[in-house]
Amino acid sequence: MGLRAGQGVLRRKPIEMIQEAEGGKGEQLTRSLGLWQLTAIGVGGIIGAGIFTLAGTVANEKAGPAVLLSFLIAGVASAAAAFSYAEFAGMIPKAGSAYTYGYAVLGELAGWFIGWDLLLEYTAIVAVVAIGISGYFSFLLGEMGVHLPAWMLGAPGTGDGHRVDLFAAALCLLIAYLLTLGIKNAARFETVVVGLKVLVVLVVIAVGFFHIKTGNYNPFFPHGISGAFAGAATVFFAVFGYDAMSTAAEESKDAQRHMPKAILYSLLISMVLYVLACLVLTGMQNYTKIDPESGFSTAFKSVGLSSLADVIAVGAIIGILTVMFTFMLGVTRVWFSMSRDGLLPKWFAKTHPTRHVPTRVTWIVGAASAVIAGFLPIREAAELTNIGILLAFVVVCIAVIVLRRKRPELPRAFRCPGVPLVPAIGVVFSIWLITFLEWQTWVRFVVWFAIGLVIYFAYSYRRSELAKADREISDLEDREGRL
């Protein structure tokens, strides 16, 4: 017999139970993050390689000056999902984000499905970003005349003598260490670094603005409007990050008020910077001459400002570092939440006695991402990402529509506008983007999902907190029936 909230794999964790869990049994996280700390974590997750690398790549190869529209299209689609996340974040102020929302509305199997996939997706993103930073770091060292041994400069197969990307692996462990210091100290570090990153981006935009040549915008659509849409499919992966930030809802001082604002503020700030950066980049240099790997560096060199190249490289390292922080924070909070709910062993949900952060899963994620970053080429590591995040968007957008119909009376600190149209846009756009993914991504997804199903039915199905409550209700009714 199942809980009244559902049967078997469809049993749902009642929203009232989640809202009232504060101070209850089980491990708890400390509420210490304010609005702007949350916003900084969101901006840290969104702005990274998108400005310093991806904008130049898409402008050169797919969209030309219309890369500006590519970011706007992706931003609109991402906003549709962001509004849905904001409604849930204000209603369910607990760790776990899409996993927790799916569990509450669509049932245990749906929650497990999205949580299990995000464990791999977020961990892989941390590794991919670390590899990217390692490349910029090697460039800066080369500029300074420092040449490190070949064995430590990259994963096997990425160059002569390469054995391990030691810097990338070490960086993963460093971020894990920062997160184990406690969320307040870690967030303070993230806020400072995000501030430096935004400052570098503003300097690049301000200086570049005076070197724009309007003739470089012609033709604006060198590959037609389809080029702008194709570019949107690529840059979409540079306009999320708030989803990982929303996993920290349980550590917000006033999650119901601050989380929705932080989600929307972080996306708005990031989109403004992306649009201005694209205008400057394609205005400084003809799109055919933009270097796909270091767009801004080549653009500034083309106007005689090569001295800014090093500043841009430093900005890229700082910018991408904050992405690592946000997504490692995300994966550890999803894992913590799944373990506290009993879907994974409770051992993983144990928090530090004084810092109140899940140190066990943090170090495990740090070690796993370090192995991926150290021994896999960036392309192979990147193949582990993307699909899970898009599916999380689909789940959250659908869940908003479902909950509006089933529980319209629930208090909502923020209401997603235009339901069901806005969430439906998020669903359609996410599914459309999934069709752009390579077949290897689908193979990885099917294998990982199959492993997850085995674990769920062999362990989680009978050991979750809802399963235990299920049995307690059944035993109670059996006893009452015998009386």
Side-chain angles (χ1 to χ4, degrees):
M1 180 175 179
L3 288 177
R4 296 297 181 262
Q7 297 286 334
V9 299
L10 298 179
R11 56 194 172 211
R12 301 184 304 277
K13 192 171 185 179
I15 291 177
E16 291 83 359
M17 179 190 300
I18 300 175
Q19 293 173 333
E20 296 170 2
E22 192 78 20
K25 66 177 183 178
E27 298 288 342
Q28 302 291 324
L29 302 175
T30 301
R31 294 192 177 277
S32 57
L33 300 180
L35 172 60
W36 294 110
Q37 287 176 308
L38 289 168
T39 302
I41 293 173
V43 172
I46 298 172
I47 294 181
I51 280 184
F52 297 105
T53 301
L54 205 55
T57 301
V58 173
N60 178 265
E61 298 176 357
K62 296 185 178 182
V67 64
L68 165 66
L69 287 184
S70 296
F71 273 99
L72 287 175
I73 293 167
V76 169
S78 185
F83 282 128
S84 299
Y85 271 89
E87 177 163 322
F88 272 118
M91 188 167 46
I92 306 177
K94 302 297 285 185
S97 186
Y99 153 73
T100 301
Y101 309 153
Y103 199 169
V105 180
L106 303 178
E108 188 172 271
L109 184 59
W112 164 267
F113 163 74
I114 203 64
W116 176 250
D117 209 51
L118 288 179
L119 293 183
L120 179 63
E121 304 287 334
Y122 284 176
T123 302
I125 287 175
V126 172
V128 170
V129 170
I131 297 171
I133 296 178
S134 180
Y136 278 106
F137 182 71
S138 298
F139 167 79
L140 280 178
L141 289 180
E143 290 289 298
M144 297 166 59
V146 178
H147 300 284
L148 299 175
W151 66 266
M152 62 182 292
L153 295 179
T158 60
D160 292 337
H162 288 184
R163 295 290 180 268
V164 59
D165 194 331
L166 191 61
F167 181 73
L171 204 53
C172 292
L173 297 175
L174 173 63
I175 297 298
Y177 170 71
L178 290 172
L179 285 172
T180 62
L181 296 179
I183 190 61
K184 190 172 184 179
N185 290 329
R188 186 180 294 120
F189 165 82
E190 172 81 343
T191 302
V192 171
V193 175
V194 168
L196 291 174
K197 171 172 66 173
V198 172
L199 180 61
V200 169
V201 174
L202 290 175
V203 168
V204 168
I205 292 171
V207 174
F209 178 80
F210 293 100
H211 297 275
I212 289 177
K213 297 179 181 178
T214 56
N216 288 327
Y217 295 132
N218 187 32
F220 192 75
F221 294 102
H223 303 290
I225 190 68
S226 60
F229 277 96
T234 301
V235 303
F236 183 81
F237 301 111
V239 294
F240 61 76
Y242 54 80
D243 59 309
M245 179 267 286
S246 68
T247 64
E250 197 169 327
E251 290 156 290
S252 168
K253 292 178 181 177
D254 189 351
Q256 291 182 314
R257 289 179 57 245
H258 291 167
M259 284 302 300
K261 292 179 180 179
I263 290 172
L264 299 179
Y265 287 172
S266 61
L267 182 59
L268 178 61
I269 291 170
S270 300
M271 287 308 304
V272 169
L273 293 177
Y274 274 136
V275 169
L276 292 176
C278 288
L279 277 172
V280 168
L281 177 63
T282 56
M284 289 180 66
Q285 191 174 33
N286 187 276
Y287 76 95
T288 60
K289 298 179 180 179
I290 294 174
D291 189 322
E293 296 183 357
S294 55
F296 276 101
S297 294
T298 57
F300 278 100
K301 286 180 181 179
S302 71
V303 296
L305 295 174
S306 56
S307 59
L308 274 176
D310 290 346
V311 174
I312 294 171
V314 171
I317 291 175
I318 294 174
I320 302 175
L321 183 69
T322 62
V323 178
M324 288 184 66
F325 180 96
T326 299
F327 281 97
M328 190 176 288
L329 173 70
V331 66
T332 56
R333 272 40 179 185
V334 171
W335 195 336
F336 165 81
S337 188
M338 293 177 72
S339 301
R340 186 173 59 182
D341 289 339
L343 294 177
L344 290 171
K346 293 278 190 177
W347 183 88
F348 294 119
K350 186 68 176 177
T351 59
H352 191 277
T354 57
R355 299 169 187 163
H356 302 293
V357 290
T359 51
R360 291 175 177 177
V361 297
T362 301
W363 280 119
I364 293 172
V365 169
S369 57
V371 170
I372 295 173
F375 296 99
L376 283 183
I378 191 168
R379 180 177 295 276
E380 293 182 20
E383 287 177 358
L384 300 175
T385 68
N386 297 338
I387 191 171
I389 294 166
L390 288 171
L391 289 173
F393 282 10
V394 171
V395 166
V396 173
C397 290
I398 291 176
V400 163
I401 298 173
V402 171
L403 199 62
R404 281 288 190 94
R405 290 183 61 86
K406 289 188 173 182
R407 301 293 305 276
E409 81 288 354
L410 283 174
R412 292 167 168 84
F414 175 86
R415 297 179 69 87
C416 174
V419 175
L421 178 60
V422 169
I425 291 174
V427 171
V428 171
F429 202 91
S430 296
I431 293 175
W432 176 65
L433 289 173
I434 288 174
T435 65
F436 283 85
L437 301 178
E438 297 179 356
W439 66 269
Q440 293 94 335
T441 301
W442 282 98
V443 170
R444 189 281 309 162
F445 169 73
V446 171
V447 171
W448 185 250
F449 181 55
I451 295 172
L453 282 179
V454 171
I455 295 175
Y456 175 76
F457 286 108
Y459 179 90
S460 311
Y461 179 73
R462 297 187 180 280
R463 293 176 180 265
S464 72
E465 289 297 308
L466 291 191
K468 293 177 182 178
D470 227 1
R471 289 192 293 272
E472 290 175 1
I473 293 175
S474 181
D475 292 343
L476 178 61
E477 291 184 347
D478 286 344
R479 289 195 297 270
E480 291 176 346
R482 289 194 297 268
L483 294 177

